[in-house]
């Protein structure tokens, strides 16, 4: 039992390293080569986990080899546009000036139902409003609306809106995030004062506390525990 746990932990750590090498992407955003790599690694790791007669090294070596191959492919992708096109494909224009490109849709085996679903997820219900609809190499659909259909920005209206910056979490479920507090240039005394202004005596009473660069605060108290 102990050996099984150790083998599983070792393989798990190696797979985690492999996933980290793929970058911070969701499964649906993986390039074809990255998706194939993830599937093969998972299969290679499953065998030595289940069969103790197979030396652990026989599972580690193929996984490490694939990870090295993935790194080489990543480097080649950045160095050669042609190589990247071969490995990852090219974006396809499915909608051009409100008209469907049926040939590209058939080439990518992209159905009308899938296209309309992707558009609805972007709050677009009329294809004629789309100037360009591009199917990216990771399977995501990028959409450019006609200029007169795009949302109006504050800059276009001539309205000046002050920048608030990125809000940082200072209290997360009762825990004070000291690093974020230091990053924002604030002190524990400042935090304690802001809490007391809101009749809060301890960080333990706070579920979420954020502050932006203008010191605008967003605070959520913890809900009272319900006892059954």
């Amino acid at each position: 039992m102990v050996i099984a746990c150790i083998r599983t932990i070792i393989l798990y750590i190696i797979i985690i390293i492999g996933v980290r090498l793929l970058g911070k992407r969701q499964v649906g955003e993986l390039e074809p080569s990255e998706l194939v790599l993830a599937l093969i690694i998972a299969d290679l790791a499953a065998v030595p986990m289940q069969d103790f007669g197979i030396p652990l090294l026989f599972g580690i070596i193929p996984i490490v080899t694939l990870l090295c191959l993935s790194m080489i492919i990543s480097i080649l992708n950045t160095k050669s546009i042609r190589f990247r096109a071969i490995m990852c494909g090219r974006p396809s224009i499915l909608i051009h000036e409100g008209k469907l490109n049926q040939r590209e849709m058939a080439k990518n085996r992209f159905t009308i139902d899938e296209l309309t679903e992707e558009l609805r997820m972007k709050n677009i219900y009329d294809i004629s409003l789309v100037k360009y609809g591009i199917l990216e190499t990771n399977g995501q659909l990028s959409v450019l609306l006609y200029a007169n259909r795009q949302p109006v920005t504050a800059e276009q209206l001539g309205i000046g809106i002050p920048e608030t910056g990125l809000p940082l979490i200072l209290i997360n479920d009762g825990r004070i995030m000291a690093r974020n507090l230091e990053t924002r240039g604030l002190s524990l005394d400042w935090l304690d004062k802001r809490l007391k202004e809101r009749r809060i005596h301890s960080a333990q009473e706070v579920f979420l506390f954020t502050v932006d660069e203008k010191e605008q605060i967003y605070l959520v108290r913890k809900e009272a525990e319900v006892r059954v």
Side-chain angles (χ1 to χ4, degrees):
M1 183 64 69
V2 175
I3 296 176
C5 291
I6 295 175
R7 289 166 67 98
T8 302
I9 291 172
I10 293 174
L11 289 169
Y12 176 76
I13 292 174
I14 293 175
I15 293 174
I16 289 296
I17 294 173
V19 173
R20 291 289 294 163
L21 289 175
L22 293 179
K24 297 181 178 179
R25 301 193 189 187
Q26 297 178 2
V27 174
E29 298 177 345
L30 295 178
E31 299 288 358
S33 60
E34 297 170 338
L35 179 58
V36 171
L37 174 68
L39 294 174
I40 294 177
I41 286 179
D43 190 51
L44 288 172
V47 176
M49 282 185 186
Q50 298 172 356
D51 190 348
F52 298 158
I54 299 177
L56 185 59
L57 197 60
F58 285 11
I60 294 177
I61 291 177
I63 292 176
V64 173
T65 301
L66 285 174
L67 294 178
C68 293
L69 180 61
S70 176
M71 294 298 295
I72 293 173
I73 290 175
S74 298
I75 294 172
L76 291 176
N77 281 339
T78 59
K79 299 294 183 181
S80 173
I81 296 178
R82 181 174 298 179
F83 182 83
R84 175 173 173 77
I86 294 173
M87 293 298 298
C88 305
R90 297 179 183 275
S92 299
I93 299 177
L94 304 185
I95 304 175
H96 180 229
E97 295 184 350
K99 297 180 180 179
L100 297 178
N101 189 331
Q102 298 181 36
R103 180 176 297 179
E104 286 296 319
M105 290 183 65
K107 178 182 176 181
N108 290 277
R109 294 178 292 282
F110 208 79
T111 67
I112 289 291
D113 292 335
E114 291 172 331
L115 178 61
T116 54
E117 180 181 353
E118 289 286 340
L119 292 175
R120 287 195 300 270
M121 292 175 65
K122 300 178 186 298
N123 294 322
I124 301 171
Y125 299 90
D126 189 347
I127 296 177
S128 64
L129 304 180
V130 180
K131 186 173 179 63
Y132 288 104
I134 303 173
L135 182 64
E136 306 294 352
T137 58
N138 59 13
Q140 299 295 314
L141 183 69
S142 300
V143 174
L144 175 65
L145 298 176
Y146 281 97
N148 60 349
R149 296 291 184 174
Q150 296 180 16
V152 179
T153 64
E155 182 180 5
Q156 292 171 332
L157 295 175
I159 301 175
I161 300 178
E163 294 287 346
T164 58
L166 177 67
L168 292 182
I169 298 176
L170 300 188
I171 302 179
N172 182 350
D173 196 7
R175 298 183 296 272
I176 297 176
M177 314 302 289
R179 179 176 297 180
N180 289 348
L181 194 65
E182 182 180 353
T183 299
R184 192 57 82 213
L186 303 173
S187 64
L188 288 173
D189 290 337
W190 179 91
L191 180 60
D192 186 59
K193 184 177 180 180
R194 300 290 85 78
L195 293 177
K196 288 181 178 178
E197 289 175 352
R198 291 159 177 79
R199 299 180 180 179
I200 298 175
H201 305 288
S202 170
Q204 298 293 328
E205 302 175 30
V206 179
F207 184 71
L208 177 64
F209 185 107
T210 69
V211 62
D212 61 22
E213 294 177 6
K214 299 295 183 180
E215 294 192 8
Q216 295 181 359
I217 294 170
Y218 175 78
L219 187 147
V220 179
R221 292 173 178 263
K222 280 188 179 181
E223 296 181 356
E225 294 184 3
V226 178
R227 296 184 179 179
V228 180

